[in-house]
Amino acid sequence: MVLSENLEKRRLSYNERAKLTSNKLAIRLFNLMEEKQSNLALANDITDTKKFLELTEKVADEIIVLKTHIDILEDFNMDIINKIEELANKHKFLIFEDRKFADIGNTVKLQYSSGIYKISKWAHIVNAHSLVGDGLIEGLKECIKDSEDSRGCLLLAQMSSSNNLIDKKYTLRTIEFAEKYQDFVIGFIGNGSNPKELKKLASLAKPNFLIFTPGINISDTGKLGQNYATPQKAIKSGSDIIIVGSGIYKSEDPLKSAKEYRKLGWKAYIKRTK
Ligand code: S5P
C-alpha cells in the first residue's frame, strides 16, 4: 500500500533519498546532511543584528540550514546578507527565509524579488502557504528563472501552533501542489510538536520531499500557542530536518545546546535507518 510504502522509503538514508529526486536543491540538501552529519536547522529569531550574526557564526558548524525572519532584524541592510552568505559558504549551510508567502502570484513575485530584502537573490529556500492556490507557486517561480544558484520552496502542509485551521484535506491538497511543482517545491513544513499528525504527513508525502519540523524543544512547553515535542519523536515520526529556535538562542550556552540538538536529531535519524 502506498501509505506505508512512503513511510518505509522515508527510512532510507539521506544519500539514498537524494537518488529519488531530480530537484537539484533537494539533492544538495540530502547530501549536505550526510556530509555534515546533521539534520539541524537553526531558527535564528534574534532581532539585534550583531547578536544574530554572532549566534549564526557560533553554531554554523552544527547546522545544515539557517532559518531567518529577515524582517525582524532591527537594523537591516544588505551588508548583513553579505555576511550571512560568507558564513553559509564557509561553514556549508543553506539559507531559508521563513517568509510564509500568502498572496496572489503577482504580489508574491514582487515580495520575493523586490523591496529592501530581495529575498530571491540570497535565500536558497523560502516557504509559502498553499491556501492561496498554485498561482502563488507560479509567481514565485517566475523570479528564479535566471537564478545561478538553486532555489526551492517548502509548502506549509501543517503548523505547530494550537488551533490552526489546517485539516487533513488541506494537507492532502498541499501535497498535490507539491507534486505538480517538483522542480521548485522541495518539501513541507510539518508539525514537529505532534508525532501522530506528523506521521500522517510522512505517510502521505512521497519520500523525495523533505519534511522540516518546527515545534522542537527539549526543555520548554511553549507559549503564545506554540507547541513542542522532542527531536527523537519528530524524527521517528518522519521529520527530516528539525527546526530549533529558542531551544538554542535562549539557552545560556547556545553552542552546547546546538550540539545537543544535533546529536539527538542525528542519533534518531541513524536509528530510523536501521
Ligand atoms: O508551524 C510553524 C511553522 C514555522 S516555520 N511553526 C513555527 O514555529 N515555525 C517557525 O519556527 C517560527 O516562525 C519560528 O521561527 C520557529 C520556531 O521557533 P521556536 O523558538 O519555537 O523553536
Side-chain angles (χ1 to χ4, degrees), residues 7-37:
L7 275 182
E8 228 12 74
K9 285 206 174 142
R10 287 192 165 274
R11 293 167 59 115
L12 293 171
S13 73
Y14 294 135
N15 278 341
E16 284 168 306
R17 296 264 301 282
K19 293 179 195 150
L20 304 177
T21 175
S22 55
N23 183 300
K24 281 191 191 140
L25 188 65
I27 294 171
R28 185 166 155 195
L29 190 46
F30 275 128
N31 290 333
L32 179 64
M33 288 198 276
E34 212 60 71
E35 186 191 328
K36 273 185 103 169
Q37 305 218 329

Side-chain angles (χ1 to χ4, degrees), residues 188-192 198 211-216 234 239-244:
F188 305 99
I189 294 291
N191 181 3
L198 179 60
I211 299 179
F212 285 54
T213 54
I216 306 292
S239 164
D240 294 306
I241 294 179
I242 50 167
I243 298 177
V244 183

Side-chain angles (χ1 to χ4, degrees), residues 42-101:
L42 168 70
N44 192 340
D45 289 345
I46 291 179
T47 57
D48 178 293
T49 304
K50 192 165 164 269
K51 290 185 184 150
F52 168 94
L53 288 170
E54 276 167 10
L55 175 70
T56 304
E57 183 160 24
K58 192 173 275 177
V59 305
D61 286 331
E62 312 302 322
I63 61 172
I64 37 83
V65 168
L66 168 72
K67 187 177 83 59
T68 56
H69 279 299
I70 208 68
D71 55 348
I72 66 172
L73 284 172
E74 296 288 357
D75 39 2
F76 175 83
N77 60 66
M78 264 300 167
D79 192 41
I80 295 159
I81 298 298
N82 296 337
K83 291 194 173 119
I84 297 174
E85 283 184 322
E86 256 173 49
L87 290 172
N89 290 334
K90 185 169 167 204
H91 299 276
K92 291 197 186 170
F93 59 77
L94 299 181
I95 308 165
F96 165 17
E97 165 56 17
D98 185 1
R99 177 61 180 76
K100 296 188 182 74
F101 293 106

Side-chain angles (χ1 to χ4, degrees), residues 43-45 67-69 96 98 100 127 156 158-161 164 189-191 213-217 226-228 243-250:
N44 192 340
D45 289 345
K67 187 177 83 59
T68 56
H69 279 299
F96 165 17
D98 185 1
K100 296 188 182 74
N127 54 358
L156 284 117
Q158 295 176 338
M159 287 198 75
S160 64
S161 45
N164 70 70
I189 294 291
N191 181 3
T213 54
I216 306 292
N217 199 303
Q226 176 69 306
N227 300 294
Y228 291 120
I243 298 177
V244 183
S246 44
I248 294 174
Y249 71 78
K250 278 198 183 154

